[in-house]
Amino acid sequence: MRAAWITGKECLRERLCRPDQLPAPNPEAEMPAYMESFLSHLRLLVGVPFEYLVPDARLLPDESIRFFYLDRSWTDRLVDGTICVGKIGSREQAHHQAHAAPVAQQLDVAERSVRDLQRQRVTFDDLRSGGYAQGPTQTITGFLLRSAAVSGWPHMDVRAFDKALDETFTPADAAAHELVKLRLERLSPSVLLALFQGVPKLVWCEEPHHGVQFGVHETNGQFSVFLRGPAGTALGGSMQIPVRQSQHRVVAVAALRRKLIQQGGGQIAQQTGSAAMAIELLNPPFRQRFENVQNQPPLSGLGGFTADVAVASHVSQPDIQATVQGLVYEHP
Amino acid sequence: MSNPTTPPKGQMQLFDYLTVPLDPGSYRLHVESQVTHDPGQTATMTNDGYFDVVGPRFSLSPSDVAGTYPPRNGHGPFSDSLAQVVLKRRALPWERKLDAARPGGPLPAPSGGNQLAPGYPRPWMTLLVFEEGEYTLLPGVPLDKVMPKANFVALGSPAGITCDAVEADASLVQSILPSLEELQLLAHVRWVNIEDRELTVEGSDGWFAVVVGSRVPSSGAKCRACLVSLEERWDLVKSDPPASTEPGQSGPIFVPIQFPDYQPPVQNQYRWVEQPPDYSQVQIIMAPPAKTRLVVLFSWQFTCEGPGSFRDLMKNLDIGMIGAVQDAGKPALTDTCHLPLMLGERSGEAETVLYRGPLVPFELARDTLGPYHGADQARRVTPETGVEDVSYAAAFEVGRLLAAADARLAQELMRWRRGSYRQAARADTLLAIQASLTLNMPATLAEQLQVSLPPILATAAMGRMVQGAGPVADRYGLKAAGQTVGMNPAAVKEAWGLASLLEAQAILGGDPGALGLEIAPVPQTPRPNVTIATVAADAAGLGVLVKARDRVITSTKAKLGG
């Protein structure tokens, strides 16, 4: 009988002496897709019990937001523990030891696509064929929000920027400075977890968009509107709304118009009729800004307000009315 | 103002109102031609035609409604929203008249300054928001039962019309119904870009009429928004709105209730005297409250729920980095954000350990000591306090448990490892083979693992065999003999201190080749590879072969004697 070329003993010795014999990027050495997907989800704490994230309920009381950095060592240990399943002897250990670094590198890249995977925008096979986001590894930050706002407004718009944009930013500027959202998920009906790639200087949470609505702002039983210019841009001030004496939840529209004329100054839309009134009653999505203070992720809140939908006003004038009638004729 | 152009995406234009030159109604078209024929002879020819301009009057088809806010049957925090209904017919709110047939002329303009421009059209519909219990929805009511006689007559006494109506206390309707000027202010026209997903709806031309309600729904209330017709309802619409107020911070305002027939007794200034009320002066009138009915064109329900407005909730958030606690020391975190926990040690004792989750208030350097193969490897003891830090050990265990809970992952892990082992074993085999046989292999290991080994191995082995393998055997025992001390030139040289190996060989009487010289392999004649077709085409060679065969046959025949 012929002897084998190499015995099991020698093979193990090879594993231990030269563990890196097969470079990890080789198709033979790469992780199975399911495993890679599982581990990259795990890297972003998907599936980790909430008690491990917040070990004491008082660390995230009701109606609070807590910003954080993600401890990468912690998530590395998570991955180590996962790979540890089914590890029986020194052969598996040697294998893990050899592959740990390439696996970590691969997950650093793959974890950026988890959000797309979660939203089922891409499949893992698409990613495999070159769809990974490129770029250097960056710090991961994020926040936990426990608030009734999470359950009441389930599709809240959350964005983070590496620059403290002012109120009158341009969309291009915002797009250039927006940080990649790695994860945005409700952990429970009232707890929202967000993870960003990089350290934000500005985070905002915005009411979901429902088109153009009208509304007022209620504070302690008082209603107010924000003063707006003719193009719908917020002027920064607000004004209390007069209400009917007999029904405190009915806006006294005529009295409001007179008050706007008297106190609005020259900047607000000229109150000639219902179009100008509608502009003042516009209720665009509210946007809460959290801005950076010193070299920390955002700590303090600064309520800002920016009109999301620009509104052009055309108040009633004889010639425009004629034009509109002409349009009615042409397009019955 | 210039002609309006289509608003760009994301923008809209608002107009105060939009009127059409022909309001809905029945029209008579009277054509009159005067013809002159023969000097002085004229004839007048007339013809009458009738046509109707129709439009919604007592009900509105749901397809005419482009959208509502709050959404139909929606649940949500609408307690700071004004209800609105968006109509596809852009001129609808101004198509009919509010007070054209009012005896004594149209409703007078409101008193006071800052009036709207004269001739500002008066819409005939408004949006009323009722809360549950305030209203009754009456389907299929005859029109003359909905409004007073005078108003019915003003509508032209249309016969046989039934409509949906809403019934509510007259005082409530009065308190929420907009006044004349408010009606005008609560309806406008909107022009949007039809490409704009967020503003427009499918299949529209971008023009909409919008009617806004003025009542803010109460939190928690189940509401119904009714688009009601006010056509010729001058009995309800007032020129001047009821008194308005601006509530202060203190809370509800108590409006003094006036009892016209009851004067409260004057209190004694110095002494509080309990005096029974003088019932003789109080009239208790048991009468049902007066009700008002209105034609409902369209209505929908929604429920206000949720805790206040988004804005208030976000404004009042407690903001901080993770680890910030409202009550200092509860829980008692260390400055590194570790939380002391009690842990049942494996020896059975309770022990205080430190735990910190993956969320930390400061940036941490990544541990480069990994990978870790067991949770115990990741346990740490803090030098200052001697307390154990189990954070990373806990992370390791969570990962292990999560993986164990996922059967497919365990299988994939096994597959991953098995694949690696197989490839590693293959690589080792290749190395071992290459130690004895030179294989013609690609340069990198990754490529080497890809190639099919048997042909390469066979080629290399054959090459080696063809090359010859040295002396076949030591047929005469010369090699063995040469190893004996006296016959070995090297040993002789060493023993005798000779200068060179050649000298020793000369002494032993042998030339260098005498003892087991390696026989060089016979050089092979290089032959190109040929195919059977080439061989068959070689006529000369074939001829030689044929001749040789003939010769063999001939000699065989000769040997066999015949």
Side-chain angles (χ1 to χ4, degrees):
Chain A
M1 197 184 118
R2 276 182 54 210
W5 283 106
I6 185 161
T7 63
K9 193 174 158 191
E10 284 168 327
C11 191
L12 177 58
R13 206 187 62 223
E14 285 290 324
R15 291 292 76 64
L16 295 171
C17 301
R18 297 193 303 112
D20 53 342
Q21 54 183 310
L22 192 60
N26 286 330
E28 276 65 38
E30 81 176 3
M31 292 173 270
Y34 182 82
M35 173 185 167
E36 186 175 336
S37 158
F38 186 96
L39 292 183
S40 36
H41 279 70
L42 212 52
R43 272 292 192 86
L44 299 181
L45 307 172
V46 176
V48 175
F50 187 68
E51 291 73 23
Y52 281 85
L53 306 183
V54 181
D56 191 304
R58 289 168 292 184
L59 293 176
L60 186 67
D62 285 346
E63 297 302 327
S64 69
I65 185 167
R66 291 285 181 268
F67 292 89
F68 56 79
Y69 288 91
L70 188 65
D71 183 359
R72 303 316 298 276
S73 313
W74 208 94
T75 49
D76 283 348
R77 292 301 79 77
L78 208 54
V79 169
D80 284 350
T82 312
I83 296 182
C84 165
V85 165
K87 216 188 249 184
I88 323 164
S90 40
R91 186 164 73 146
E92 284 84 2
Q93 282 201 5
H95 175 253
H96 183 198
Q97 189 79 30
H99 282 273
V103 162
Q105 278 172 16
Q106 177 68 20
L107 292 181
D108 282 346
V109 180
E111 70 190 4
R112 298 177 197 166
S113 309
V114 165
R115 187 167 154 77
D116 285 338
L117 289 170
Q118 283 187 321
R119 305 172 86 189
Q120 298 185 332
R121 283 188 170 170
V122 293
T123 64
F124 211 89
D125 293 338
D126 295 343
L127 284 186
R128 274 277 164 91
S129 51
Y132 289 117
Q134 299 301 317
T137 313
Q138 281 177 320
T139 314
I140 293 180
T141 58
F143 67 78
L144 274 171
L145 170 64
R146 187 201 288 274
S147 165
V150 177
S151 45
W153 286 262
H155 299 292
M156 193 190 299
D157 185 33
V158 176
R159 284 161 198 251
F161 302 91
D162 61 359
K163 177 188 168 192
L165 302 168
D166 54 10
E167 298 283 342
T168 54
F169 61 88
T170 62
D173 201 24
H177 290 282
E178 186 169 353
L179 295 180
V180 177
K181 246 181 302 203
L182 294 175
R183 197 177 162 202
L184 182 66
E185 201 177 329
R186 284 201 291 167
L187 300 179
S188 74
S190 66
V191 176
L192 181 77
L193 171 74
L195 291 175
F196 308 111
Q197 187 179 326
V199 183
K201 289 216 167 66
L202 166 72
V203 173
W204 80 44
C205 301
E206 197 174 292
E207 232 175 313
H209 298 197
H210 287 301
V212 177
Q213 318 149 7
F214 301 100
V216 295
H217 291 299
E218 184 177 2
T219 319
N220 301 332
Q222 292 181 320
F223 297 118
S224 58
V225 284
F226 293 97
L227 298 176
R228 292 174 182 286
T233 47
L235 299 175
S238 70
M239 190 163 113
Q240 198 189 339
I241 295 179
V243 292
R244 287 200 177 171
Q245 227 169 49
S246 50
Q247 270 280 352
H248 277 204
R249 295 193 75 84
V250 175
V251 175
V253 184
L256 172 63
R257 176 170 169 268
R258 285 190 169 69
K259 192 174 174 186
L260 282 167
I261 292 172
Q262 282 164 12
Q263 300 184 7
Q267 287 183 306
I268 65 159
Q270 202 191 350
Q271 292 297 316
T272 50
S274 58
M277 174 58 74
I279 289 173
E280 300 304 326
L281 286 176
L282 263 185
N283 190 17
F286 175 72
R287 181 183 291 157
Q288 173 71 48
R289 290 161 63 98
F290 301 96
E291 278 188 45
N292 190 4
V293 174
Q294 290 153 14
N295 267 331
Q296 298 243 330
L299 271 172
S300 77
L302 174 68
F305 199 83
T306 310
D308 190 64
V309 180
V311 181
S313 85
H314 285 267
V315 290
S316 165
Q317 303 236 337
D319 58 345
I320 196 167
Q321 198 190 327
T323 327
V324 170
Q325 286 186 355
L327 286 164
V328 176
Y329 277 126
E330 284 162 29
H331 309 287
Chain B
M1 201 174 278
S2 61
N3 278 1
T5 50
T6 309
K9 261 179 99 169
Q11 293 199 358
M12 65 176 184
Q13 292 183 359
L14 301 176
F15 302 87
D16 285 345
Y17 52 83
L18 198 151
T19 52
V20 286
L22 276 188
D23 287 332
S26 294
Y27 292 85
R28 179 169 66 102
L29 187 69
H30 179 71
V31 184
E32 199 174 278
S33 300
Q34 278 202 340
V35 181
T36 310
H37 60 91
D38 301 334
Q41 297 286 317
T42 58
T44 306
M45 287 182 275
T46 61
N47 198 0
D48 279 352
Y50 294 89
F51 66 93
D52 286 344
V53 176
V54 293
R57 194 171 190 188
F58 301 114
S59 71
L60 195 60
S61 143
S63 63
D64 285 335
V65 177
T68 62
Y69 188 85
R72 247 180 124 157
N73 299 326
H75 290 246
F78 306 125
S79 56
D80 56 357
S81 307
L82 294 174
Q84 60 167 328
V85 60
V86 183
L87 306 170
K88 279 186 188 161
R89 277 174 80 108
R90 53 191 152 180
L92 186 61
W94 300 276
E95 273 178 4
R96 296 178 189 278
K97 297 286 167 268
L98 175 69
D99 49 6
R102 179 173 180 258
L107 285 165
S111 54
N114 287 323
Q115 289 179 10
L116 292 171
Y120 197 111
R122 298 169 171 187
W124 63 282
M125 51 173 67
T126 192
L127 193 62
L128 296 182
V129 175
F130 294 102
E131 291 179 1
E132 187 86 334
E134 287 177 350
Y135 66 95
T136 317
L137 208 58
L138 309 166
V141 187
L143 191 62
D144 54 342
K145 302 272 187 249
V146 176
M147 57 186 71
K149 180 96 169 123
N151 301 87
F152 184 67
V153 170
L155 286 178
S157 309
I161 300 275
T162 57
C163 62
D164 293 347
V166 64
E167 187 181 73
D169 289 351
S171 59
L172 176 82
V173 170
Q174 269 312 314
S175 70
I176 64 173
L177 190 74
S179 72
L180 176 61
E181 186 186 349
E182 289 174 341
L183 279 179
Q184 292 168 319
L185 289 173
L186 288 171
H188 64 268
V189 175
R190 181 189 288 182
W191 192 19
V192 303
N193 188 313
I194 52 169
E195 308 267 305
D196 204 321
R197 194 171 46 83
E198 203 167 307
L199 296 172
T200 188
V201 292
E202 201 81 14
S204 76
D205 56 357
W207 285 92
F208 299 103
V210 181
V211 182
V212 185
S214 62
R215 187 182 190 186
V216 187
S218 306
S219 187
K222 190 172 182 190
C223 300
R224 179 176 283 275
C226 300
L227 184 68
V228 295
S229 160
L230 296 174
E231 189 183 5
E232 305 299 350
R233 292 307 298 269
W234 63 78
D235 58 321
L236 296 175
V237 178
K238 303 279 182 277
S239 289
D240 285 306
S244 64
T245 177
E246 291 182 25
Q249 288 279 9
S250 53
I253 296 280
F254 296 100
V255 183
I257 303 166
Q258 309 269 327
F259 290 97
D261 299 333
Y262 172 61
Q263 296 295 323
V266 179
Q267 303 284 345
N268 190 315
Q269 274 191 327
Y270 305 102
R271 224 152 37 96
W272 188 272
V273 181
E274 282 285 333
Q275 290 187 341
D278 190 354
Y279 290 112
S280 63
Q281 292 186 27
V282 180
Q283 284 183 319
I284 299 173
I285 303 163
M286 297 293 286
K291 296 276 186 187
T292 299
R293 287 181 179 180
L294 285 159
V295 174
V296 176
L297 298 169
F298 177 78
S299 77
W300 78 95
Q301 277 184 308
F302 59 92
T303 308
C304 280
E305 51 185 37
S309 73
F310 184 80
R311 178 189 156 82
D312 290 343
L313 286 168
M314 295 307 277
K315 283 276 176 210
N316 295 328
L317 281 182
D318 172 21
I319 303 163
M321 295 298 286
I322 189 98
V325 285
Q326 285 171 336
D327 205 355
K330 287 176 182 174
L333 290 171
T334 66
D335 55 351
T336 52
C337 206
H338 282 80
L339 179 74
L341 290 175
M342 289 308 284
L343 178 79
E345 251 299 291
R346 63 191 67 176
S347 60
E349 292 171 37
E351 188 191 2
T352 303
V353 294
L354 294 177
Y355 173 79
R356 177 175 65 190
L359 318 179
V360 288
F362 29 75
E363 198 166 359
L364 290 171
R366 207 164 170 171
D367 185 353
T368 53
L369 295 175
Y372 288 64
H373 299 288
D376 282 349
Q377 234 182 325
R379 293 168 76 167
R380 297 284 183 269
V381 170
T382 49
E384 295 87 359
T385 56
V387 181
E388 199 179 349
D389 175 5
V390 296
S391 315
Y392 296 134
F396 189 95
E397 285 301 318
V398 176
R400 206 161 70 93
L401 292 172
L402 286 174
D406 192 320
R408 179 159 175 210
L409 181 77
Q411 282 178 358
E412 298 275 349
L413 274 170
M414 288 308 213
R415 199 153 70 83
W416 178 53
R417 283 197 195 109
R418 243 190 346 254
S420 277
Y421 297 153
R422 200 181 294 127
Q423 294 302 325
R426 196 172 154 84
D428 288 346
T429 310
L430 283 176
L431 280 172
I433 296 171
Q434 275 173 317
S436 47
L437 266 182
T438 311
L439 297 179
N440 181 21
M441 295 289 273
T444 64
L445 183 66
E447 287 169 316
Q448 288 179 6
L449 291 174
Q450 293 291 329
V451 298
S452 171
L453 197 54
I456 295 177
L457 191 58
T459 314
M462 289 298 285
R464 185 69 184 270
M465 279 166 68
V466 168
Q467 275 183 356
V472 179
D474 188 11
R475 188 180 281 176
Y476 306 106
L478 288 177
K479 230 176 182 173
Q483 298 301 318
T484 56
V485 176
M487 299 291 279
N488 191 338
V492 169
K493 169 184 170 269
E494 201 172 327
W496 292 356
L498 296 175
S500 73
L501 205 61
L502 277 174
E503 208 176 331
Q505 282 171 342
I507 291 169
L508 288 171
D511 55 281
L515 292 176
L517 182 72
E518 301 240 338
I519 301 159
V522 183
Q524 301 286 317
T525 318
R527 289 181 209 282
N529 292 335
V530 290
T531 62
I532 291 175
T534 330
V535 172
D538 184 5
L542 200 63
V544 172
L545 282 174
V546 169
K547 275 182 192 162
R549 192 191 64 160
D550 291 349
R551 215 170 35 240
V552 171
I553 293 171
T554 317
S555 54
T556 309
K557 278 183 183 167
K559 274 188 182 173
L560 294 172

